[in-house]
Amino acid sequence: NWAHKDRDDHPINCVNQAQAMTFCIWIGARLPTSKEWEYAAKGGESRIYPWGNDGPTKDHATTGFSGTETVGSHPMGQTAMGLLDMAGNVQEWTSSDSNKDKVSVRGGSWGRKLRELRASNRNGAPKSAQWRDTGFRCAM
């Protein structure tokens, strides 16, 4: 999205894990661990989705295969902690390894199946991956 002037308010995407980590460090933060990410997505509760237990709709998350949307476009998808876009828009890098060759990415993106919007969903990605549906958020 960085090269698109009409997407200044969209999530950053197409960055690898090292680039995401570098940005977080630059602002005095870090990438969350996979466990921290899930805790924030569930709001410290036992929820299926970041917004609760009701299945996803277009009001909860950016889904389908159209691309990213403006950050916060789906306020009904807000977590109990007030976080937005924990499901939909982009899946997000974490600092946790998924296995010896991959890193855990969390949150289903606009290009994923609806079942992948669950707060407990996790995927693995090579650290060097720079995918259109993968971005990040920083933790303090």
Side-chain angles (χ1 to χ4, degrees):
N1 286 326
W2 66 270
H4 300 277
K5 298 294 181 202
D6 62 336
R7 294 187 190 167
D8 286 346
D9 53 0
H10 285 231
I12 192 66
N13 61 349
C14 300
V15 295
N16 63 38
Q17 190 207 32
Q19 291 168 320
M21 288 173 47
T22 298
F23 179 84
C24 290
I25 291 168
W26 180 67
I27 65 165
R30 60 182 172 75
L31 286 177
T33 66
S34 184
K35 286 181 181 181
E36 289 171 331
W37 192 99
E38 185 170 334
Y39 182 85
K42 290 183 174 183
E45 300 172 7
S46 180
R47 296 171 163 225
I48 296 171
Y49 300 98
W51 54 85
N53 295 323
D54 294 334
T57 69
K58 62 179 176 42
D59 295 323
H60 293 109
T62 303
T63 61
F65 296 92
S66 58
T68 61
E69 288 187 323
T70 301
V71 171
S73 291
H74 303 277
M76 287 184 65
Q78 181 173 295
T79 70
M81 295 178 176
L83 301 172
L84 294 167
D85 298 324
M86 296 292 285
N89 240 349
V90 294
Q91 62 182 351
E92 300 173 350
W93 288 109
T94 72
S95 62
S96 300
D97 288 339
S98 157
N99 64 34
K100 65 178 181 166
D101 298 325
K102 295 186 177 181
V103 174
S104 178
V105 290
R106 303 300 302 264
S109 71
W110 55 266
R112 303 286 169 165
K113 296 174 181 146
L114 288 178
R115 70 177 172 11
E116 292 187 18
L117 298 177
R118 292 173 291 129
S120 60
N121 188 65
R122 57 184 55 78
N123 290 307
K127 292 180 180 185
S128 61
Q130 293 180 278
W131 296 328
R132 294 181 326 141
D133 71 342
T134 306
F136 66 97
R137 73 177 63 223
C138 300
M140 302 290 279

